[in-house]
Amino acid sequence: MIYFIWTAIVIIALSMVALLYRVVKGPTPSDRVIALDSLGITLICLVALFTILVETSFFLEIILLLAILSFIGTIAFSKFIEKGDIITRDDSR
Amino acid sequence: MKVNNVILQFTTKIVFFIIFFFAVHIFFAGHYTPGGGFVGGLVTASAIVLLLVAFDLKTVRSLLPINYIYMVAIGLLIALGTASIAMFVNEPFFTHFFDYFYLPLFGKTSLHTAALFDFGVYLVVVGVTMTIIQTIGEDE
């Protein structure tokens, strides 16, 4: 079982390296934003696997917290790419 | 240019409450599990930031008519008041008290004055974060 967890951790870490390559290389900002969002998801997977590894339930709230922060960050980046500012003053104008 | 972002706004209406209740859970679970006033305040502020990103500053101002400067002041007053309760009963400053109560819905519950101090920290963190973000967001 412990080898299974470590294999999964290595696979997730390798996919994080691949996503990091896309963050560095990505031709457009949209590629980098998508890669950062996926990096957040893989980080959630790593936290879950390490939670199983160290046999504690104290890290489970970090998973939900990372999901929320990744969502808000991606939305803020998307709005900046599309409209040029993140917080608009008056949308009806 | 009016952009039609129905999906973002409808998702925000649901996700806001999930994030807010998660923040309340983190705040109240802070005594026995990881969490507390600081993280709860930051998560609440991020929920309001999600509203700010999905809608605009004017809509959120009319939705939550809160002066965040007053929120910081009230939080500091609650923290100071909780710390100075002990001085009125001949105990040192910042001495906390707790006791077990039988509440109608929760059963046997331990209530601690550290939760009140944490609520002050919560209000200060939400107020400071939202003041910074709104001040940066509304300048041209």
Side-chain angles (χ1 to χ4, degrees), chain B residues 6-69:
Chain B
V6 177
I7 295 177
L8 174 61
Q9 290 184 351
F10 187 75
T11 311
T12 300
K13 281 173 196 165
I14 298 171
V15 170
F16 172 76
F17 289 103
I18 298 176
I19 301 177
F20 183 70
F21 288 129
F22 178 56
V24 172
H25 161 73
I26 277 185
F27 172 72
F28 280 111
H31 202 80
Y32 295 109
T33 56
F38 187 75
V39 192
L42 280 183
V43 174
T44 309
S46 70
I48 304 174
V49 165
L50 180 64
L51 279 183
L52 277 175
V53 171
F55 298 94
D56 54 341
L57 208 57
K58 196 180 159 197
T59 313
V60 178
R61 278 248 174 85
S62 61
L63 201 66
L64 301 167
I66 304 168
N67 192 345
Y68 291 106
I69 307 278

Side-chain angles (χ1 to χ4, degrees), chain A residues 2 15 17 25 33 35 38 41 46 58-59 61-63 66-67 74-75 79 85-86 88 90 92-93:
Chain A
I2 204 90
S15 66
V17 171
K25 180 82 176 175
V33 169
S38 313
I41 305 297
L46 269 191
F58 285 154
F59 295 158
E61 283 166 347
I62 300 176
I63 294 174
L66 274 176
T74 309
I75 282 187
K79 192 165 181 189
D85 56 347
I86 293 177
T88 48
D90 195 351
S92 57
R93 283 194 299 184

Side-chain angles (χ1 to χ4, degrees), chain A residues 70-84:
Chain A
S70 170
F71 175 68
I72 293 176
T74 309
I75 282 187
F77 270 125
S78 317
K79 192 165 181 189
F80 181 72
I81 288 173
E82 187 172 347
K83 297 183 81 170

Side-chain angles (χ1 to χ4, degrees), chain B:
Chain B
M1 184 184 71
K2 189 92 171 86
V3 182
N4 188 12
N5 42 9
V6 177
I7 295 177
L8 174 61
Q9 290 184 351
F10 187 75
T11 311
T12 300
K13 281 173 196 165
I14 298 171
V15 170
F16 172 76
F17 289 103
I18 298 176
I19 301 177
F20 183 70
F21 288 129
F22 178 56
V24 172
H25 161 73
I26 277 185
F27 172 72
F28 280 111
H31 202 80
Y32 295 109
T33 56
F38 187 75
V39 192
L42 280 183
V43 174
T44 309
S46 70
I48 304 174
V49 165
L50 180 64
L51 279 183
L52 277 175
V53 171
F55 298 94
D56 54 341
L57 208 57
K58 196 180 159 197
T59 313
V60 178
R61 278 248 174 85
S62 61
L63 201 66
L64 301 167
I66 304 168
N67 192 345
Y68 291 106
I69 307 278
Y70 290 160
M71 203 177 195
V72 175
I74 290 170
L76 286 173
L77 273 181
I78 287 175
L80 193 64
T82 312
S84 56
I85 285 174
M87 294 176 73
F88 296 105
V89 287
N90 288 329
E91 292 281 341
F93 193 55
F94 261 113
T95 308
H96 284 293
F97 305 99
F98 73 99
D99 206 351
Y100 293 96
F101 295 97
Y102 286 92
L103 297 180
L105 205 56
F106 299 102
K108 188 184 180 188
T109 316
S110 68
L111 295 181
H112 201 293
T113 52
L116 280 175
F117 183 77
D118 229 18
F119 185 65
V121 174
Y122 175 88
L123 287 183
V124 170
V125 169
V126 173
V128 167
T129 315
M130 290 317 295
T131 306
I132 291 172
I133 289 174
Q134 278 197 349
T135 312
I136 294 174
E138 73 186 350
D139 67 342
E140 287 291 315

Side-chain angles (χ1 to χ4, degrees), chain A residues 16-72:
Chain A
M16 282 180 92
V17 171
L19 283 167
L20 207 61
Y21 171 76
R22 188 44 69 190
V23 171
V24 174
K25 180 82 176 175
T28 64
S30 310
D31 290 321
R32 295 193 171 95
V33 169
I34 295 291
L36 276 178
D37 193 35
S38 313
L39 265 178
I41 305 297
T42 46
L43 201 60
I44 290 170
C45 299
L46 269 191
V47 172
L49 286 170
F50 277 114
T51 305
I52 300 172
L53 203 64
V54 301
E55 291 177 352
T56 178
S57 62
F58 285 154
F59 295 158
L60 292 178
E61 283 166 347
I62 300 176
I63 294 174
L64 193 50
L65 202 59
L66 274 176
I68 289 168
L69 290 184
S70 170
F71 175 68
I72 293 176

